[in-house]
Amino acid sequence: MDNAHNLDRERFAAVLALMHRIRAFEEAAIAAQKDGLVLGAIHPSIGQEAVAAGVCGNLQPADLMLSTHRGHGHTLAKGADPLAMMRELFGRAGGTCGGKGGSMHIADFGVGMLGANGVVGANIPIATGAAHGLKLQGSNQIVACIFGDGAINRGPFLEGLNWARVFDLPVMFVCEDNGFSATTRTHDMTGGAGASARAESLGIPAVEVDGNDVLAVDAAARTAIADIRAGKGPMLLHCRTYRITGHTAVDPATYRPAEEVEAQRGNCPINRLGTALALAGMDKAELQEVHERAVQEMDGIAAQAQATDWPDPLAAFTDVQDMGDPRERAF
């Protein structure tokens, strides 16, 4: 963060608040899971908040986004209501998907969030299809598609990027590279140079950036989004980051050396932006207040979610596709 002294303090104070809110949301969700209030897996993005904040902060409200099973931060950064998100995790009425999707399948079409996805890489062709639809409509909207480094070894990555290039679609692919595909180091199972090289082999411009430096992510995303919106076709942003937690909230991550994790804690994107804001004149009391406000907000939201009623049992029969009796259609 060499340009910290020239920082737009007001703008990046808001970015810092967003990153604190993302982390506080996930910490509240993890605590709730330990109390038995959240069933199913939670995949935290603690340590990766700069990607969500840096990318989504440059999207317009009408732009679309797709995410992964590790999508709380992206969804919150795109503008979703954290109470509706927490209710979704708790399986309660008023959740973003009526309490039916849970952590890995949050969607909120009202803010352009077309959905998290529990299938690695499956969001890539969906995003490409959405971008193709926007192009056919002559829209000025774009699609941001965020996926992990493990997704680049799956077929949908090649299919989606090739499709996007052939038709010059308005989509920004974002590889949120935390170095691990679940519990395996990605470089141990990835041939070649990785996401950027593979994108460039298909004729898609790619930019690599320090994914723990929100200033760098913000600048790269802003340039890429402007170019895509100007009709220059798809681009890929490769953000190298690190998740502090295990693959899931209950994963002790014993496959990683403790000293490695501790070193990465010192590379925390929240702390790095806080340091930059301090250099720009923000005092420690202000920085602490931003953190405390986020924790209070999300603890309160978790309490509200717990107090929310369960969905009406009849809601189980809604959102179900009914094609009718096949005999009536056939004859």
Side-chain angles (χ1 to χ4, degrees):
M1 296 191 178
D2 295 334
N3 55 344
H5 291 286
N6 299 319
L7 200 62
D8 181 338
R9 180 173 150 180
E10 183 177 350
R11 178 167 180 260
F12 282 98
V15 171
L16 179 69
L18 173 59
M19 292 201 291
H20 272 298
R21 293 178 73 236
I22 292 169
R23 183 166 298 188
F25 178 93
E26 294 204 311
E27 288 175 342
I30 292 169
Q33 185 183 50
K34 290 178 180 177
D35 290 339
L37 297 169
V38 177
L39 302 179
I42 289 179
H43 298 79
S45 62
I46 293 173
Q48 302 179 191
E49 296 88 354
V51 179
V55 168
C56 295
N58 288 288
L59 295 173
Q60 295 179 2
D63 290 333
L64 306 179
M65 186 182 74
L66 287 104
S67 181
T68 72
H69 54 278
R70 202 178 306 280
H72 303 143
H74 311 143
T75 308
L76 188 57
K78 190 61 174 71
D81 176 9
L83 177 56
M85 289 175 61
M86 194 69 77
R87 283 172 170 162
E88 185 63 29
L89 268 62
F90 282 37
R92 304 301 173 97
T96 55
C97 300
K100 297 179 180 181
S103 173
M104 288 195 287
H105 304 101
I106 286 178
D108 187 344
F109 287 11
V111 297
M113 170 54 174
L114 300 188
N117 203 308
V119 179
V120 174
N123 59 329
I124 299 174
I126 298 173
T128 308
H132 206 150
L134 293 177
K135 182 165 185 175
L136 290 173
Q137 293 170 355
S139 172
N140 193 43
Q141 297 162 265
I142 73 162
V143 180
C145 178
I146 305 178
F147 49 87
D149 38 304
I152 71 171
N153 291 329
R154 294 183 60 83
F157 177 81
L158 172 61
E159 295 168 10
L161 268 67
N162 186 66
W163 177 6
R165 177 73 284 169
V166 168
F167 292 99
D168 281 333
L169 301 180
V171 55
M172 178 172 67
F173 299 106
V174 181
C175 181
E176 189 175 52
D177 183 352
N178 60 34
F180 284 86
S181 301
T183 59
T184 304
R185 290 190 189 275
T186 306
H187 66 68
D188 289 339
M189 52 190 242
T190 301
S196 297
R198 293 181 184 185
E200 289 171 346
S201 75
L202 294 169
I204 294 178
V207 176
E208 293 202 21
V209 67
D210 179 353
N212 279 25
D213 180 352
V214 72
L215 303 185
V217 176
D218 174 80
R222 176 172 296 194
T223 298
I225 288 169
D227 286 346
I228 294 167
R229 211 180 298 279
K232 295 185 179 180
M235 298 191 179
L236 182 137
L237 182 59
H238 187 175
C239 303
R240 296 189 182 275
T241 182
Y242 193 89
R243 57 173 161 82
I244 298 300
T245 68
H247 176 56
T248 66
V250 297
D251 171 17
T254 53
Y255 44 86
R256 302 186 305 188
E259 56 272 19
E260 173 183 306
V261 178
E262 195 56 37
Q264 288 295 334
R265 287 185 189 278
N267 193 33
C268 167
I270 291 176
N271 292 344
R272 288 177 64 176
L273 180 56
T275 299
L277 284 165
L279 288 172
M282 193 169 180
D283 64 42
K284 290 183 179 180
E286 289 180 277
L287 293 170
Q288 184 62 25
E289 186 181 350
V290 171
H291 165 69
E292 291 174 355
R293 240 188 344 255
V295 172
Q296 289 171 3
E297 177 194 7
M298 297 308 170
D299 285 349
I301 280 172
Q304 283 182 264
Q306 184 178 358
T308 302
D309 291 336
W310 296 100
D312 186 323
L314 292 177
F317 296 97
T318 62
D319 306 314
V320 178
Q321 186 176 22
D322 181 5
M323 299 299 292
D325 188 328
R327 293 169 297 181
E328 293 179 7
R329 292 191 175 258
F331 302 104

mmCIF file with all atom_site columns, all heavy atoms in Angstrom, residues 215-229:
data_model
loop_
_atom_site.group_PDB
_atom_site.id
_atom_site.type_symbol
_atom_site.label_atom_id
_atom_site.label_alt_id
_atom_site.label_comp_id
_atom_site.label_asym_id
_atom_site.label_entity_id
_atom_site.label_seq_id
_atom_site.pdbx_PDB_ins_code
_atom_site.Cartn_x
_atom_site.Cartn_y
_atom_site.Cartn_z
_atom_site.occupancy
_atom_site.B_iso_or_equiv
_atom_site.pdbx_formal_charge
_atom_site.auth_seq_id
_atom_site.auth_comp_id
_atom_site.auth_asym_id
_atom_site.auth_atom_id
_atom_site.pdbx_PDB_model_num
ATOM 1   N N   . LEU A 1 215 ? -6.571  -2.025 -1.754  1.00 0.00 ? 215 LEU A N   1
ATOM 2   C CA  . LEU A 1 215 ? -6.315  -0.924 -2.679  1.00 0.00 ? 215 LEU A CA  1
ATOM 3   C C   . LEU A 1 215 ? -5.948  -1.461 -4.058  1.00 0.00 ? 215 LEU A C   1
ATOM 4   O O   . LEU A 1 215 ? -6.391  -0.938 -5.085  1.00 0.00 ? 215 LEU A O   1
ATOM 5   C CB  . LEU A 1 215 ? -5.194  -0.028 -2.149  1.00 0.00 ? 215 LEU A CB  1
ATOM 6   C CG  . LEU A 1 215 ? -5.370  0.593  -0.765  1.00 0.00 ? 215 LEU A CG  1
ATOM 7   C CD1 . LEU A 1 215 ? -4.212  1.534  -0.461  1.00 0.00 ? 215 LEU A CD1 1
ATOM 8   C CD2 . LEU A 1 215 ? -6.697  1.319  -0.654  1.00 0.00 ? 215 LEU A CD2 1
ATOM 9   N N   . ALA A 1 216 ? -5.141  -2.521 -4.082  1.00 0.00 ? 216 ALA A N   1
ATOM 10  C CA  . ALA A 1 216 ? -4.738  -3.125 -5.353  1.00 0.00 ? 216 ALA A CA  1
ATOM 11  C C   . ALA A 1 216 ? -5.919  -3.815 -6.033  1.00 0.00 ? 216 ALA A C   1
ATOM 12  O O   . ALA A 1 216 ? -6.105  -3.703 -7.252  1.00 0.00 ? 216 ALA A O   1
ATOM 13  C CB  . ALA A 1 216 ? -3.597  -4.113 -5.120  1.00 0.00 ? 216 ALA A CB  1
ATOM 14  N N   . VAL A 1 217 ? -6.715  -4.534 -5.239  1.00 0.00 ? 217 VAL A N   1
ATOM 15  C CA  . VAL A 1 217 ? -7.888  -5.203 -5.804  1.00 0.00 ? 217 VAL A CA  1
ATOM 16  C C   . VAL A 1 217 ? -8.854  -4.170 -6.357  1.00 0.00 ? 217 VAL A C   1
ATOM 17  O O   . VAL A 1 217 ? -9.380  -4.317 -7.468  1.00 0.00 ? 217 VAL A O   1
ATOM 18  C CB  . VAL A 1 217 ? -8.584  -6.084 -4.746  1.00 0.00 ? 217 VAL A CB  1
ATOM 19  C CG1 . VAL A 1 217 ? -9.859  -6.706 -5.326  1.00 0.00 ? 217 VAL A CG1 1
ATOM 20  C CG2 . VAL A 1 217 ? -7.650  -7.176 -4.238  1.00 0.00 ? 217 VAL A CG2 1
ATOM 21  N N   . ASP A 1 218 ? -9.086  -3.118 -5.596  1.00 0.00 ? 218 ASP A N   1
ATOM 22  C CA  . ASP A 1 218 ? -10.002 -2.058 -6.017  1.00 0.00 ? 218 ASP A CA  1
ATOM 23  C C   . ASP A 1 218 ? -9.554  -1.438 -7.334  1.00 0.00 ? 218 ASP A C   1
ATOM 24  O O   . ASP A 1 218 ? -10.358 -1.260 -8.262  1.00 0.00 ? 218 ASP A O   1
ATOM 25  C CB  . ASP A 1 218 ? -10.059 -0.985 -4.924  1.00 0.00 ? 218 ASP A CB  1
ATOM 26  C CG  . ASP A 1 218 ? -10.882 0.225  -5.330  1.00 0.00 ? 218 ASP A CG  1
ATOM 27  O OD1 . ASP A 1 218 ? -12.119 0.157  -5.239  1.00 0.00 ? 218 ASP A OD1 1
ATOM 28  O OD2 . ASP A 1 218 ? -10.278 1.238  -5.751  1.00 0.00 ? 218 ASP A OD2 1
ATOM 29  N N   . ALA A 1 219 ? -8.277  -1.117 -7.448  1.00 0.00 ? 219 ALA A N   1
ATOM 30  C CA  . ALA A 1 219 ? -7.773  -0.466 -8.667  1.00 0.00 ? 219 ALA A CA  1
ATOM 31  C C   . ALA A 1 219 ? -7.876  -1.399 -9.867  1.00 0.00 ? 219 ALA A C   1
ATOM 32  O O   . ALA A 1 219 ? -8.295  -0.980 -10.959 1.00 0.00 ? 219 ALA A O   1
ATOM 33  C CB  . ALA A 1 219 ? -6.328  -0.027 -8.454  1.00 0.00 ? 219 ALA A CB  1
ATOM 34  N N   . ALA A 1 220 ? -7.506  -2.676 -9.679  1.00 0.00 ? 220 ALA A N   1
ATOM 35  C CA  . ALA A 1 220 ? -7.545  -3.634 -10.788 1.00 0.00 ? 220 ALA A CA  1
ATOM 36  C C   . ALA A 1 220 ? -8.981  -3.907 -11.217 1.00 0.00 ? 220 ALA A C   1
ATOM 37  O O   . ALA A 1 220 ? -9.292  -3.977 -12.425 1.00 0.00 ? 220 ALA A O   1
ATOM 38  C CB  . ALA A 1 220 ? -6.847  -4.924 -10.384 1.00 0.00 ? 220 ALA A CB  1
ATOM 39  N N   . ALA A 1 221 ? -9.868  -4.055 -10.231 1.00 0.00 ? 221 ALA A N   1
ATOM 40  C CA  . ALA A 1 221 ? -11.268 -4.327 -10.559 1.00 0.00 ? 221 ALA A CA  1
ATOM 41  C C   . ALA A 1 221 ? -11.898 -3.131 -11.264 1.00 0.00 ? 221 ALA A C   1
ATOM 42  O O   . ALA A 1 221 ? -12.659 -3.290 -12.225 1.00 0.00 ? 221 ALA A O   1
ATOM 43  C CB  . ALA A 1 221 ? -12.042 -4.666 -9.285  1.00 0.00 ? 221 ALA A CB  1
ATOM 44  N N   . ARG A 1 222 ? -11.572 -1.937 -10.810 1.00 0.00 ? 222 ARG A N   1
ATOM 45  C CA  . ARG A 1 222 ? -12.156 -0.727 -11.420 1.00 0.00 ? 222 ARG A CA  1
ATOM 46  C C   . ARG A 1 222 ? -11.769 -0.632 -12.898 1.00 0.00 ? 222 ARG A C   1
ATOM 47  O O   . ARG A 1 222 ? -12.609 -0.356 -13.756 1.00 0.00 ? 222 ARG A O   1
ATOM 48  C CB  . ARG A 1 222 ? -11.683 0.509  -10.664 1.00 0.00 ? 222 ARG A CB  1
ATOM 49  C CG  . ARG A 1 222 ? -12.166 1.810  -11.283 1.00 0.00 ? 222 ARG A CG  1
ATOM 50  C CD  . ARG A 1 222 ? -11.837 3.001  -10.412 1.00 0.00 ? 222 ARG A CD  1
ATOM 51  N NE  . ARG A 1 222 ? -12.545 2.928  -9.138  1.00 0.00 ? 222 ARG A NE  1
ATOM 52  C CZ  . ARG A 1 222 ? -12.665 3.944  -8.291  1.00 0.00 ? 222 ARG A CZ  1
ATOM 53  N NH1 . ARG A 1 222 ? -12.100 5.102  -8.577  1.00 0.00 ? 222 ARG A NH1 1
ATOM 54  N NH2 . ARG A 1 222 ? -13.318 3.804  -7.177  1.00 0.00 ? 222 ARG A NH2 1
ATOM 55  N N   . THR A 1 223 ? -10.492 -0.888 -13.193 1.00 0.00 ? 223 THR A N   1
ATOM 56  C CA  . THR A 1 223 ? -10.035 -0.821 -14.583 1.00 0.00 ? 223 THR A CA  1
ATOM 57  C C   . THR A 1 223 ? -10.692 -1.902 -15.430 1.00 0.00 ? 223 THR A C   1
ATOM 58  O O   . THR A 1 223 ? -11.174 -1.643 -16.543 1.00 0.00 ? 223 THR A O   1
ATOM 59  C CB  . THR A 1 223 ? -8.506  -0.974 -14.640 1.00 0.00 ? 223 THR A CB  1
ATOM 60  O OG1 . THR A 1 223 ? -7.898  0.107  -13.925 1.00 0.00 ? 223 THR A OG1 1
ATOM 61  C CG2 . THR A 1 223 ? -8.006  -0.962 -16.073 1.00 0.00 ? 223 THR A CG2 1
ATOM 62  N N   . ALA A 1 224 ? -10.724 -3.129 -14.904 1.00 0.00 ? 224 ALA A N   1
ATOM 63  C CA  . ALA A 1 224 ? -11.305 -4.248 -15.654 1.00 0.00 ? 224 ALA A CA  1
ATOM 64  C C   . ALA A 1 224 ? -12.786 -4.017 -15.921 1.00 0.00 ? 224 ALA A C   1
ATOM 65  O O   . ALA A 1 224 ? -13.276 -4.233 -17.044 1.00 0.00 ? 224 ALA A O   1
ATOM 66  C CB  . ALA A 1 224 ? -11.098 -5.553 -14.885 1.00 0.00 ? 224 ALA A CB  1
ATOM 67  N N   . ILE A 1 225 ? -13.510 -3.569 -14.916 1.00 0.00 ? 225 ILE A N   1
ATOM 68  C CA  . ILE A 1 225 ? -14.950 -3.353 -15.071 1.00 0.00 ? 225 ILE A CA  1
ATOM 69  C C   . ILE A 1 225 ? -15.225 -2.251 -16.091 1.00 0.00 ? 225 ILE A C   1
ATOM 70  O O   . ILE A 1 225 ? -16.129 -2.374 -16.929 1.00 0.00 ? 225 ILE A O   1
ATOM 71  C CB  . ILE A 1 225 ? -15.576 -3.028 -13.703 1.00 0.00 ? 225 ILE A CB  1
ATOM 72  C CG1 . ILE A 1 225 ? -15.616 -4.298 -12.842 1.00 0.00 ? 225 ILE A CG1 1
ATOM 73  C CG2 . ILE A 1 225 ? -16.982 -2.442 -13.855 1.00 0.00 ? 225 ILE A CG2 1
ATOM 74  C CD1 . ILE A 1 225 ? -15.956 -4.051 -11.387 1.00 0.00 ? 225 ILE A CD1 1
ATOM 75  N N   . ALA A 1 226 ? -14.434 -1.199 -16.078 1.00 0.00 ? 226 ALA A N   1
ATOM 76  C CA  . ALA A 1 226 ? -14.613 -0.121 -17.060 1.00 0.00 ? 226 ALA A CA  1
ATOM 77  C C   . ALA A 1 226 ? -14.369 -0.632 -18.475 1.00 0.00 ? 226 ALA A C   1
ATOM 78  O O   . ALA A 1 226 ? -15.115 -0.294 -19.409 1.00 0.00 ? 226 ALA A O   1
ATOM 79  C CB  . ALA A 1 226 ? -13.674 1.031  -16.742 1.00 0.00 ? 226 ALA A CB  1
ATOM 80  N N   . ASP A 1 227 ? -13.338 -1.458 -18.643 1.00 0.00 ? 227 ASP A N   1
ATOM 81  C CA  . ASP A 1 227 ? -13.040 -1.998 -19.973 1.00 0.00 ? 227 ASP A CA  1
ATOM 82  C C   . ASP A 1 227 ? -14.142 -2.934 -20.449 1.00 0.00 ? 227 ASP A C   1
ATOM 83  O O   . ASP A 1 227 ? -14.540 -2.907 -21.624 1.00 0.00 ? 227 ASP A O   1
ATOM 84  C CB  . ASP A 1 227 ? -11.699 -2.735 -19.947 1.00 0.00 ? 227 ASP A CB  1
ATOM 85  C CG  . ASP A 1 227 ? -10.502 -1.797 -19.883 1.00 0.00 ? 227 ASP A CG  1
ATOM 86  O OD1 . ASP A 1 227 ? -10.684 -0.584 -20.124 1.00 0.00 ? 227 ASP A OD1 1
ATOM 87  O OD2 . ASP A 1 227 ? -9.388  -2.269 -19.576 1.00 0.00 ? 227 ASP A OD2 1
ATOM 88  N N   . ILE A 1 228 ? -14.625 -3.778 -19.551 1.00 0.00 ? 228 ILE A N   1
ATOM 89  C CA  . ILE A 1 228 ? -15.698 -4.715 -19.925 1.00 0.00 ? 228 ILE A CA  1
ATOM 90  C C   . ILE A 1 228 ? -16.954 -3.939 -20.302 1.00 0.00 ? 228 ILE A C   1
ATOM 91  O O   . ILE A 1 228 ? -17.603 -4.233 -21.313 1.00 0.00 ? 228 ILE A O   1
ATOM 92  C CB  . ILE A 1 228 ? -15.973 -5.697 -18.768 1.00 0.00 ? 228 ILE A CB  1
ATOM 93  C CG1 . ILE A 1 228 ? -14.771 -6.607 -18.548 1.00 0.00 ? 228 ILE A CG1 1
ATOM 94  C CG2 . ILE A 1 228 ? -17.217 -6.536 -19.052 1.00 0.00 ? 228 ILE A CG2 1
ATOM 95  C CD1 . ILE A 1 228 ? -14.806 -7.393 -17.249 1.00 0.00 ? 228 ILE A CD1 1
ATOM 96  N N   . ARG A 1 229 ? -17.289 -2.932 -19.504 1.00 0.00 ? 229 ARG A N   1
ATOM 97  C CA  . ARG A 1 229 ? -18.494 -2.148 -19.788 1.00 0.00 ? 229 ARG A CA  1
ATOM 98  C C   . ARG A 1 229 ? -18.359 -1.367 -21.097 1.00 0.00 ? 229 ARG A C   1
ATOM 99  O O   . ARG A 1 229 ? -19.354 -1.048 -21.756 1.00 0.00 ? 229 ARG A O   1
ATOM 100 C CB  . ARG A 1 229 ? -18.779 -1.195 -18.628 1.00 0.00 ? 229 ARG A CB  1
ATOM 101 C CG  . ARG A 1 229 ? -20.277 -0.925 -18.447 1.00 0.00 ? 229 ARG A CG  1
ATOM 102 C CD  . ARG A 1 229 ? -20.555 0.022  -17.297 1.00 0.00 ? 229 ARG A CD  1
ATOM 103 N NE  . ARG A 1 229 ? -20.134 -0.458 -16.004 1.00 0.00 ? 229 ARG A NE  1
ATOM 104 C CZ  . ARG A 1 229 ? -20.820 -1.316 -15.260 1.00 0.00 ? 229 ARG A CZ  1
ATOM 105 N NH1 . ARG A 1 229 ? -21.949 -1.818 -15.718 1.00 0.00 ? 229 ARG A NH1 1
ATOM 106 N NH2 . ARG A 1 229 ? -20.379 -1.683 -14.078 1.00 0.00 ? 229 ARG A NH2 1
#
